[in-house]
């Protein structure tokens, strides 16, 4: 039977890990992820899970331990944030290239310098081309449920890629919500027993892992990774369909909020979408046809589905919680602009970079973006492509 309890986003992630009970967890603390490692370690200490927990001396070692465990056929997990993810960098690529289905709850945090421990998406956006799947969650409930679904997605035989389940540092990770927690048995039945197709410990079927791979086969292996990412785009909806049926949810690659008849819309990921929905409702009450698109998966990037959702709108603003330093806008804006390039009837589009280093964004700021879109539709032009929302 499901139960309702009050948890933070970090505790929700640890609770999902308890129910999954992976074979191996590598634990290293970094704010604001620390409570995930701390709470899961307590589950191990209390004998509530049989997971082998490996306390390591750095995030580089945490991902290395996961790679070793996963290559040996274990279901492996860890968690990190910001500079910790940056320190994993070398091994993050090895995990993806070796096609190891590691699940990593990731609490988004700004990267130094200057030193800042609060939320933005610069850490995981920096890893967007590493070959990992990425899902971005609006609240703690979604964090909990996405980690469970992530296991089945990553381990699918036609995907076999690692996955980051992202939540906003201190906003989602440390705020307490009432969470519906599924029955332990149902979670275990849903994810099933992990049976690795290849294992370093299978002496009857010896394999080579991590060999030198120069001009002869490296290109082919990268192409295979690319094909796995394409497979993910078609397989994830099916896995989420199973999840939705089992747990009575409605998850997809993205969430469309009041978009059906919208004329103007915002695109934004993670917790800010919750505030933006309030603004959409307020504008709707004034008779303004506003809407919202919240991509859940950024990798794989659901290009065609997003283009279909935004087709026919008069003006759209894409909100990025990270700066790409390309001078072309944030990562989400760049990908969406590319996705819409071939449309005959493109909406007017601009980009707002916001919330860097944890700066608050409220109803007033989001409403101002919508008001600018209303003016842009009237004038049939947007003055500035890339804007900085809330900066002094």
């Amino acid at each position: 039977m499901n139960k309702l309890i009050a948890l933070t986003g970090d505790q929700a992630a640890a609770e999902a890990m308890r129910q999954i009970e992976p074979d191996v967890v590598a634990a290293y603390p970094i704010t604001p992820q620390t409570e995930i490692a701390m709470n899961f370690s307590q589950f191990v200490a209390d004998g509530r899970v049989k997971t082998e927990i490996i306390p390591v001396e750095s995030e580089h070692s945490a991902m290395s331990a996961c790679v070793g465990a996963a290559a040996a056929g274990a279901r492996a997990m860890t968690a990190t944030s910001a500079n910790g993810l940056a320190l994993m960098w070398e091994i993050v690529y090895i995990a993806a290239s070796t096609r190891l289905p590691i699940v990593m709850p990731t609490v988004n945090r700004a990267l130094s310098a200057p030193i800042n421990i609060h939320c933005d998406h610069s850490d995981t956006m920096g890893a967007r081309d590493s070959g990992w799947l990425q899902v971005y969650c609006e609240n703690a409930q979604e964090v909990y449920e996405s980690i469970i679904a992530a296991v089945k997605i990553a381990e699918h035989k036609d995907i076999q890629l690692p996955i980051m389940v992202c939540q906003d540092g201190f906003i989602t990770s440390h705020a307490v919500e009432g969470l519906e927690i599924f029955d332990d048995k149902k979670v275990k039945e849903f994810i099933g027993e992990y049976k690795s197709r290849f294992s370093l410990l299978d002496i009857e079927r010896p394999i080579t892992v991590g060999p030198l791979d120069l001009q002869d086969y490296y290109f082919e292996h990268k192409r295979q990774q690319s094909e796995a990412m394409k497979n993910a785009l078609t397989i994830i909806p099916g896995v989420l369909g199973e999840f939705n049926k089992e747990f009575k949810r409605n998850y997809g690659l993205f969430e469309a909020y009041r978009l059906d008849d919208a004329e103007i819309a915002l695109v934004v990921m993670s917790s800010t979408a919750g505030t933006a929905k309030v603004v959409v409702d307020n504008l709707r009450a004034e008779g303004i046809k506003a809407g919202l698109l919240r991509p859940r998966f950024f990798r794989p990037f659901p290009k065609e589905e997003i283009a279909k959702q935004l087709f026919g709108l008069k003006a759209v603003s894409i909100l990025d919680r990270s700066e790409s330093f390309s001078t072309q806008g944030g990562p989400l804006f760049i990908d969406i602009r590319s996705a819409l390039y071939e449309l005959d009837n493109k909406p007017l589009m601009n980009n707002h970079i916001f919330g860097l280093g944890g700066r608050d964004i409220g109803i007033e700021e989001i409403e101002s973006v919508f008001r600018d879109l209303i003016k842009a539709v009237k004038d049939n032009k947007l003055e500035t492509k890339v804007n900085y929302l809330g900066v002094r």
Side-chain angles (χ1 to χ4, degrees), residues 180-197:
E180 185 181 0
I181 300 297
F182 304 138
D183 181 76
D184 289 0
K185 186 180 175 187
K186 282 186 72 173
V187 172
K188 283 196 165 51
E189 285 175 353
F190 175 76
I191 60 173
E193 182 183 354
Y194 178 48
K195 294 180 180 176
S196 173
R197 296 170 67 193

Side-chain angles (χ1 to χ4, degrees), residues 153-367:
I153 290 168
E155 293 175 359
H156 192 285
K157 66 181 180 59
D158 294 324
I159 298 179
Q160 294 282 298
L161 289 173
I163 182 167
M164 299 176 193
V165 181
C166 308
Q167 62 171 311
D168 283 351
F170 291 110
I171 301 168
T172 308
S173 67
H174 284 60
V176 176
E177 298 177 28
L179 257 73
E180 185 181 0
I181 300 297
F182 304 138
D183 181 76
D184 289 0
K185 186 180 175 187
K186 282 186 72 173
V187 172
K188 283 196 165 51
E189 285 175 353
F190 175 76
I191 60 173
E193 182 183 354
Y194 178 48
K195 294 180 180 176
S196 173
R197 296 170 67 193
F198 306 102
S199 167
L200 283 170
L201 302 182
D202 186 352
I203 58 173
E204 301 297 327
R205 296 188 305 155
I207 59 170
T208 299
V209 175
L212 186 66
D213 195 1
L214 302 179
Q215 297 94 330
D216 47 2
Y217 284 109
Y218 181 86
F219 201 168
E220 282 71 22
H221 284 135
K222 293 293 119 178
R223 173 67 190 274
Q224 287 178 3
Q225 270 184 261
S226 182
E227 290 302 316
M229 193 61 80
K230 287 181 188 172
N231 290 344
L233 204 51
T234 58
I235 291 167
I236 288 171
V239 176
L240 291 178
E242 292 177 42
F243 184 92
N244 293 339
K245 183 178 179 183
E246 183 64 37
F247 299 107
K248 298 181 172 45
R249 292 295 188 263
N250 188 32
Y251 288 120
L253 292 166
F254 57 86
E255 177 190 7
Y257 185 75
R258 306 191 76 165
L259 261 185
D260 284 347
D261 63 341
E263 295 179 347
I264 55 174
L266 297 191
V267 182
V268 66
M269 299 196 297
S270 297
S271 64
T272 310
T275 311
K277 288 174 189 173
V278 174
V279 178
V280 168
D281 289 345
N282 291 344
L283 293 174
R284 285 279 176 171
E286 294 180 24
I288 298 168
K289 293 184 176 180
L292 173 80
L293 180 68
R294 178 173 71 91
R296 295 187 67 241
F297 282 83
F298 187 68
R299 290 291 180 269
F301 187 72
K303 169 190 167 184
E304 292 181 3
E305 291 83 353
I306 285 178
K308 193 180 298 182
Q309 290 295 319
L310 300 181
F311 178 78
L313 288 166
K314 293 180 178 176
V316 176
S317 187
I318 293 92
L319 273 59
D320 268 284
R321 200 158 198 156
S322 63
E323 165 66 285
S324 71
F325 302 108
S326 67
T327 74
Q328 299 296 307
L332 183 61
F333 175 64
I334 292 169
D335 276 13
I336 288 181
R337 201 176 181 199
S338 172
L340 270 57
Y341 177 77
E342 292 171 358
L343 293 183
D344 292 331
N345 186 20
K346 286 187 280 290
L348 296 168
M349 273 184 291
N350 71 0
N351 183 211
H352 285 82
I353 292 169
F354 76 98
L356 300 188
R359 178 156 296 179
D360 277 345
I361 180 167
I363 286 174
E364 295 77 13
E365 287 89 357
I366 294 173
E367 185 176 325

Side-chain angles (χ1 to χ4, degrees), residues 10-193:
D10 275 356
Q11 290 170 332
E15 184 70 9
M17 292 169 68
R18 180 191 67 75
Q19 294 185 313
I20 293 164
E21 199 173 0
D23 300 307
V24 173
V25 165
Y28 191 79
I30 179 170
T31 301
Q33 169 276 129
T34 301
E35 287 195 353
I36 298 178
M38 186 176 74
N39 281 278
F40 188 77
S41 297
Q42 192 65 54
F43 292 142
V44 176
D46 293 343
R48 298 182 66 186
V49 293
K50 296 176 181 174
T51 300
E52 179 78 25
I53 193 161
I54 306 175
V56 289
E57 89 291 356
S58 73
E59 289 87 353
H60 189 279
S61 296
M63 187 49 62
S64 298
C66 285
V67 164
R75 182 176 269 161
M77 297 179 70
T78 187
T80 196
S81 289
N83 296 42
L85 176 58
L87 188 55
M88 288 180 175
W89 201 249
E90 177 189 11
I91 315 302
V92 161
Y93 273 77
I94 291 172
S97 302
T98 315
R99 306 286 300 279
L100 301 173
I102 298 163
V103 177
M104 182 163 69
T106 306
V107 185
N108 284 116
R109 185 191 116 178
L111 281 168
S112 303
I115 295 172
N116 186 302
I117 61 169
H118 292 279
C119 174
D120 68 37
H121 297 169
S122 54
D123 51 359
T124 52
M125 281 297 161
R128 66 186 184 274
D129 297 335
S130 65
W132 282 60
L133 308 173
Q134 292 185 339
V135 55
Y136 289 80
C137 303
E138 181 180 333
N139 51 44
Q141 185 76 48
E142 190 174 340
V143 170
Y144 163 72
E145 296 177 4
S146 295
I147 291 172
I148 295 168
V151 172
K152 199 153 184 167
I153 290 168
E155 293 175 359
H156 192 285
K157 66 181 180 59
D158 294 324
I159 298 179
Q160 294 282 298
L161 289 173
I163 182 167
M164 299 176 193
V165 181
C166 308
Q167 62 171 311
D168 283 351
F170 291 110
I171 301 168
T172 308
S173 67
H174 284 60
V176 176
E177 298 177 28
L179 257 73
E180 185 181 0
I181 300 297
F182 304 138
D183 181 76
D184 289 0
K185 186 180 175 187
K186 282 186 72 173
V187 172
K188 283 196 165 51
E189 285 175 353
F190 175 76
I191 60 173
E193 182 183 354

